Short mmCIF file of all heavy atoms in Angstrom, two decimals:
data_model
loop_
_atom_site.label_atom_id
_atom_site.label_comp_id
_atom_site.label_asym_id
_atom_site.label_seq_id
_atom_site.Cartn_x
_atom_site.Cartn_y
_atom_site.Cartn_z
N VAL P 87 16.27 46.72 -28.15
CA VAL P 87 16.88 47.77 -28.95
C VAL P 87 16.02 47.98 -30.20
O VAL P 87 15.68 49.14 -30.56
CB VAL P 87 18.33 47.40 -29.36
CG1 VAL P 87 18.86 48.38 -30.40
CG2 VAL P 87 19.24 47.39 -28.14
N THR P 90 12.47 49.54 -29.36
CA THR P 90 12.47 50.92 -28.92
C THR P 90 12.96 51.88 -30.01
O THR P 90 12.76 53.09 -29.90
CB THR P 90 13.36 51.11 -27.66
OG1 THR P 90 14.70 50.64 -27.96
CG2 THR P 90 12.80 50.35 -26.47
N ARG P 91 13.60 51.33 -31.05
CA ARG P 91 14.08 52.16 -32.16
C ARG P 91 12.89 52.75 -32.94
O ARG P 91 12.96 53.87 -33.46
CB ARG P 91 14.97 51.34 -33.11
CG ARG P 91 15.80 52.19 -34.06
CD ARG P 91 16.44 51.32 -35.15
NE ARG P 91 17.29 50.25 -34.64
CZ ARG P 91 18.56 50.39 -34.29
NH1 ARG P 91 19.14 51.56 -34.37
NH2 ARG P 91 19.26 49.36 -33.84
N VAL P 92 11.76 51.96 -32.98
CA VAL P 92 10.58 52.40 -33.72
C VAL P 92 10.02 53.66 -33.03
O VAL P 92 9.71 53.63 -31.83
CB VAL P 92 9.51 51.27 -33.74
CG1 VAL P 92 8.27 51.75 -34.47
CG2 VAL P 92 10.10 50.02 -34.33
N ASN P 93 9.91 54.74 -33.76
CA ASN P 93 9.37 56.00 -33.22
C ASN P 93 10.20 56.62 -32.09
O ASN P 93 9.64 57.41 -31.32
CB ASN P 93 7.94 55.81 -32.70
CG ASN P 93 6.99 55.55 -33.86
OD1 ASN P 93 7.16 56.12 -34.96
ND2 ASN P 93 6.00 54.70 -33.64
N CYS P 94 11.46 56.27 -31.96
CA CYS P 94 12.28 56.89 -30.92
C CYS P 94 12.42 58.39 -31.20
O CYS P 94 12.88 58.79 -32.26
CB CYS P 94 13.68 56.24 -30.86
SG CYS P 94 14.83 57.18 -29.85
N PRO P 95 12.01 59.24 -30.25
CA PRO P 95 12.06 60.69 -30.51
C PRO P 95 13.48 61.24 -30.63
O PRO P 95 13.67 62.30 -31.20
CB PRO P 95 11.36 61.29 -29.27
CG PRO P 95 11.49 60.26 -28.21
CD PRO P 95 11.48 58.93 -28.92
N PHE P 96 14.48 60.51 -30.10
CA PHE P 96 15.85 61.02 -30.08
C PHE P 96 16.67 60.54 -31.29
O PHE P 96 17.80 60.98 -31.47
CB PHE P 96 16.56 60.60 -28.80
CG PHE P 96 15.99 61.18 -27.55
CD1 PHE P 96 16.41 60.75 -26.30
CD2 PHE P 96 15.01 62.19 -27.59
CE1 PHE P 96 15.89 61.28 -25.14
CE2 PHE P 96 14.47 62.72 -26.44
CZ PHE P 96 14.90 62.27 -25.21
N CYS P 97 16.10 59.66 -32.14
CA CYS P 97 16.82 59.27 -33.34
C CYS P 97 16.80 60.45 -34.31
O CYS P 97 15.85 61.27 -34.31
CB CYS P 97 16.19 58.04 -33.97
SG CYS P 97 16.85 56.51 -33.25
N PRO P 98 17.89 60.64 -35.10
CA PRO P 98 18.06 61.88 -35.88
C PRO P 98 16.87 62.27 -36.75
O PRO P 98 16.52 63.45 -36.83
CB PRO P 98 19.27 61.57 -36.76
CG PRO P 98 20.02 60.49 -36.04
CD PRO P 98 18.99 59.69 -35.30
N GLU P 99 16.17 61.28 -37.34
CA GLU P 99 15.04 61.62 -38.24
C GLU P 99 13.83 62.18 -37.50
O GLU P 99 12.94 62.75 -38.12
CB GLU P 99 14.66 60.37 -39.09
CG GLU P 99 14.08 59.20 -38.32
CD GLU P 99 15.16 58.26 -37.77
OE1 GLU P 99 16.32 58.69 -37.65
OE2 GLU P 99 14.82 57.09 -37.46
N ASN P 100 13.81 62.00 -36.15
CA ASN P 100 12.63 62.46 -35.41
C ASN P 100 12.87 63.67 -34.51
O ASN P 100 11.92 64.25 -33.97
CB ASN P 100 12.11 61.31 -34.50
CG ASN P 100 11.57 60.18 -35.32
OD1 ASN P 100 11.09 60.38 -36.44
ND2 ASN P 100 11.65 58.97 -34.79
N ILE P 140 21.01 64.87 -25.97
CA ILE P 140 21.01 63.62 -26.73
C ILE P 140 22.43 63.50 -27.27
O ILE P 140 22.94 64.39 -27.96
CB ILE P 140 20.01 63.70 -27.90
CG1 ILE P 140 18.60 63.98 -27.36
CG2 ILE P 140 20.02 62.41 -28.72
CD1 ILE P 140 17.64 64.45 -28.42
N SER P 142 24.17 61.08 -29.16
CA SER P 142 24.65 60.22 -30.23
C SER P 142 23.58 60.16 -31.32
O SER P 142 22.39 60.28 -31.04
CB SER P 142 24.90 58.83 -29.67
OG SER P 142 24.82 57.85 -30.66
N LYS P 143 24.02 59.99 -32.57
CA LYS P 143 23.04 59.73 -33.62
C LYS P 143 22.58 58.28 -33.59
O LYS P 143 21.55 57.93 -34.12
CB LYS P 143 23.68 60.03 -34.99
CG LYS P 143 23.90 61.53 -35.24
CD LYS P 143 24.31 61.75 -36.68
CE LYS P 143 24.75 63.14 -37.03
NZ LYS P 143 23.92 64.25 -36.67
N GLU P 144 23.39 57.41 -32.94
CA GLU P 144 23.05 56.00 -32.82
C GLU P 144 21.98 55.82 -31.75
O GLU P 144 22.05 56.40 -30.67
CB GLU P 144 24.28 55.19 -32.39
CG GLU P 144 25.46 55.27 -33.33
CD GLU P 144 25.18 54.52 -34.64
OE1 GLU P 144 24.46 53.52 -34.59
OE2 GLU P 144 25.63 55.00 -35.69
N HIS P 145 21.03 54.93 -32.00
CA HIS P 145 19.95 54.67 -31.05
C HIS P 145 20.46 53.89 -29.83
O HIS P 145 19.97 54.07 -28.71
CB HIS P 145 18.84 53.87 -31.73
CG HIS P 145 17.72 53.51 -30.82
ND1 HIS P 145 16.87 54.44 -30.28
CD2 HIS P 145 17.32 52.31 -30.34
CE1 HIS P 145 15.98 53.83 -29.50
NE2 HIS P 145 16.24 52.54 -29.51
N TYR P 146 21.44 53.01 -30.08
CA TYR P 146 21.94 52.18 -28.99
C TYR P 146 23.46 52.15 -29.06
O TYR P 146 24.03 51.99 -30.15
CB TYR P 146 21.40 50.76 -29.10
CG TYR P 146 22.10 49.74 -28.23
CD1 TYR P 146 21.95 49.77 -26.85
CD2 TYR P 146 22.93 48.76 -28.79
CE1 TYR P 146 22.62 48.85 -26.05
CE2 TYR P 146 23.60 47.87 -27.99
CZ TYR P 146 23.43 47.91 -26.61
OH TYR P 146 24.08 47.00 -25.84
N ILE P 195 13.97 55.90 -21.81
CA ILE P 195 14.29 55.95 -23.25
C ILE P 195 15.68 55.33 -23.47
O ILE P 195 16.64 55.68 -22.78
CB ILE P 195 14.24 57.41 -23.76
CG1 ILE P 195 12.78 57.87 -23.74
CG2 ILE P 195 14.85 57.54 -25.13
CD1 ILE P 195 12.54 59.21 -24.41
N PHE P 196 15.74 54.40 -24.41
CA PHE P 196 17.02 53.71 -24.68
C PHE P 196 18.10 54.63 -25.20
O PHE P 196 19.23 54.54 -24.81
CB PHE P 196 16.76 52.61 -25.76
CG PHE P 196 16.84 51.19 -25.20
CD1 PHE P 196 15.92 50.75 -24.26
CD2 PHE P 196 17.83 50.33 -25.62
CE1 PHE P 196 15.97 49.46 -23.76
CE2 PHE P 196 17.88 49.02 -25.12
CZ PHE P 196 16.96 48.59 -24.20
N HIS P 197 17.72 55.51 -26.12
CA HIS P 197 18.67 56.32 -26.86
C HIS P 197 19.59 57.10 -25.89
O HIS P 197 19.09 57.78 -24.98
CB HIS P 197 17.89 57.31 -27.75
CG HIS P 197 18.71 57.86 -28.85
ND1 HIS P 197 18.40 57.65 -30.18
CD2 HIS P 197 19.82 58.62 -28.83
CE1 HIS P 197 19.31 58.26 -30.93
NE2 HIS P 197 20.16 58.87 -30.13
N PRO P 198 20.91 57.02 -26.05
CA PRO P 198 21.84 57.63 -25.08
C PRO P 198 21.59 59.12 -24.88
O PRO P 198 21.48 59.88 -25.85
CB PRO P 198 23.23 57.42 -25.72
CG PRO P 198 23.05 56.27 -26.65
CD PRO P 198 21.64 56.36 -27.15
ZN1 LIG M 427 16.79 56.53 -30.90
#
Side-chain angles (χ1 to χ4, degrees):
V87 170
T90 56
R91 196 192 302 276
V92 179
N93 292 325
C94 168
F96 296 171
C97 273
E99 65 274 20
N100 293 332
I140 302 164
S142 155
K143 289 190 189 308
E144 300 290 327
H145 178 67
Y146 166 71
I195 291 189
F196 250 65
H197 199 117

